[in-house]
Amino acid sequence: MSESSTIRVLRDRRFGPYLGANFTSNIGNWFQNVAAGIVVFQLTGSNTLVGTVSVLQFLATLLLSPYSGSLADRLNRRKLLILAQMVSASGAIGLAIWVGIAGVEGLPGVWPVLAATAVIGLGYAIGISAMNALIPALVEPKDLEPAIAMNSASFTLARAIGPALAGLVVAAAGAAWAFGINALTFLPLIIVLFLIRPREVARSSGDGSVKAGFAYIRQRKSMMWLVLTTLTIGWAGDPVNTLAPGYADMFGRGDSFVGLQVAAFGAGAAVMSMLVGRVRARIGLETTTRTGIVIIALGMLGYASAPTEALVLIALFVAGVGFLLGVTTTNSNLQHRLDEEMRGRVMALWSMAFLGSRPIAAIIDGVVADLVSPRVGVLTAIAPLIVGWFAMGNVKPAEEPAEV
């Protein structure tokens, strides 16, 4: 990705404001995730219940993504995304007000946190397909590749910044402030979505059903293997979220170390986001994905065996590097292969694989951590990565980008 293309995309009157607002919203998401995990662990001491936060956050994505993808291919994607943001914001605002008034100690158990997480997850499930499919309508066709890379980079940079800030806010001011900050971060994206006008792209007036989406991807074997690989990478990224509170407790550290763990993972991803274009230009999309899988595995092995806090953070940084290599290249690989009228449904399957695997992974990670130890819980991420490595061996080289 050249500097000129980067500047051109950032200056785009549609994509630039969207990217900035979405970045703000992503930082808020990490305030929510970190604070929710800390509160649940404080109230229960259970890694399994911390995993339940991830289950409720992404269960709707697992169940509803095919249908949200169908909606994204039939309806106005911008308006659908506005609706999704409003649904999530309602859950975030409700939790922030409740914890702000009652305090963590005044909560009637963990169910308010879990209920708000479920509402936020519902909004995310409604909007995730539209969010992925909207990008080509925010830039010119020649700028699709840098736009995808920058959109992925915004998620990873938020993952580097958000958790560390969230941990500091919870430690210094309490969870209510973190929940409140998250609630406020929905506003910029909603405003921007109301103001921008995406460019017209080709849309099909034919079969917009979920069934047609599945049929489309079944006929394209490389896409199926890419979706499976995405599932394994998403699975492998879960331990740092589910088990970070348990690791902090294991090392006798406070809430700030929870945020530092997630931030170290995000920092590795953020650094690699600046280099991934050069890497995949040199070795190709498919080899870059397999390289990322190996690096994630090495990082997770280091995380499971690290004897000190410093080595924990280094191992997570390494895992984050591999995670970014893997997830951005499966996204780009799919985006380049598909037809515009199928974009919402195909990217819904990508989202379902990437995020929908998290509920299963979180429960397994949490249960194993409670029954054995957090270190063994981390090791459960290795087996899916082996599957992903072999799945990528069946992916043929990417074709030229589809015309949009």
Side-chain angles (χ1 to χ4, degrees), residues 190-203:
I190 291 173
I191 293 174
V192 167
L193 288 169
F194 268 111
L195 295 177
I196 62 173
R197 291 295 178 266
R199 71 182 185 88
E200 293 295 327
V201 294
R203 300 289 289 272

Side-chain angles (χ1 to χ4, degrees), residues 66-364:
Y67 303 98
S68 72
S70 178
L71 291 176
D73 281 336
R74 289 185 291 162
L75 304 179
N76 184 298
R77 291 167 180 167
R78 180 181 63 88
K79 293 179 180 178
L80 185 61
L81 191 50
I82 291 172
L83 172 64
Q85 290 295 304
M86 288 181 171
V87 171
S88 290
S90 67
I93 293 169
L95 180 62
I97 292 174
W98 194 336
V99 177
I101 294 174
V104 172
E105 298 78 8
L107 292 176
V110 298
W111 72 262
V113 178
L114 300 182
T117 300
V119 173
I120 294 170
L122 175 61
Y124 200 74
I126 293 170
I128 185 62
S129 301
M131 182 174 291
N132 279 309
L134 185 64
I135 300 301
L138 298 179
V139 296
E140 298 301 323
K142 64 182 178 181
D143 291 328
L144 178 58
E145 179 68 26
I148 291 173
M150 293 178 67
N151 192 56
S152 297
S154 75
F155 281 91
T156 57
L157 186 58
R159 191 169 191 159
I161 297 172
L165 292 177
L168 292 173
V169 168
V170 173
W177 277 91
F179 291 136
I181 290 171
N182 175 52
L184 290 174
T185 60
F186 284 96
L187 187 60
L189 184 55
I190 291 173
I191 293 174
V192 167
L193 288 169
F194 268 111
L195 295 177
I196 62 173
R197 291 295 178 266
R199 71 182 185 88
E200 293 295 327
V201 294
R203 300 289 289 272
S204 173
S205 58
D207 188 353
S209 68
V210 173
K211 182 179 179 181
F214 279 111
Y216 177 85
I217 201 168
R218 279 200 305 270
Q219 296 166 5
R220 294 157 176 80
K221 300 300 183 183
S222 287
M223 288 189 181
M224 292 183 63
W225 290 115
L226 282 168
V227 170
L228 176 60
T229 302
T230 301
L231 184 152
T232 66
I233 295 170
W235 186 303
D238 178 75
V240 65
N241 298 301
T242 298
L243 302 181
Y247 257 72
D249 184 66
M250 185 173 67
F251 281 99
R253 297 291 299 270
D255 296 338
S256 60
F257 190 60
V258 176
L260 284 175
Q261 290 175 76
V262 186
F265 186 90
V271 169
M272 181 47 61
S273 71
M274 296 182 287
L275 304 172
V276 64
R278 296 178 184 177
V279 173
R280 63 190 181 194
R282 182 178 293 272
I283 64 177
L285 283 168
E286 293 74 28
T287 303
T288 301
T289 302
R290 298 185 92 182
T291 301
I293 290 172
V294 172
I295 295 174
I296 300 170
L298 292 174
M300 286 299 168
L301 285 171
Y303 187 31
S305 59
T308 67
E309 297 97 314
L311 290 177
V312 162
L313 299 180
I314 292 172
L316 287 173
F317 182 93
V318 171
V321 167
F323 186 82
L324 188 281
L325 285 174
V327 74
T328 59
T329 48
T330 59
N331 187 307
S332 293
N333 218 326
L334 272 177
Q335 294 267 21
H336 284 334
R337 295 170 188 266
L338 55 87
D339 300 303
E340 180 60 37
E341 63 267 22
M342 303 300 298
R343 193 175 298 277
R345 280 163 287 179
V346 173
M347 295 315 298
L349 294 175
W350 182 89
S351 301
M352 185 170 66
F354 178 50
L355 297 174
S357 61
R358 289 277 300 277
I360 302 170
I363 286 295
I364 292 176

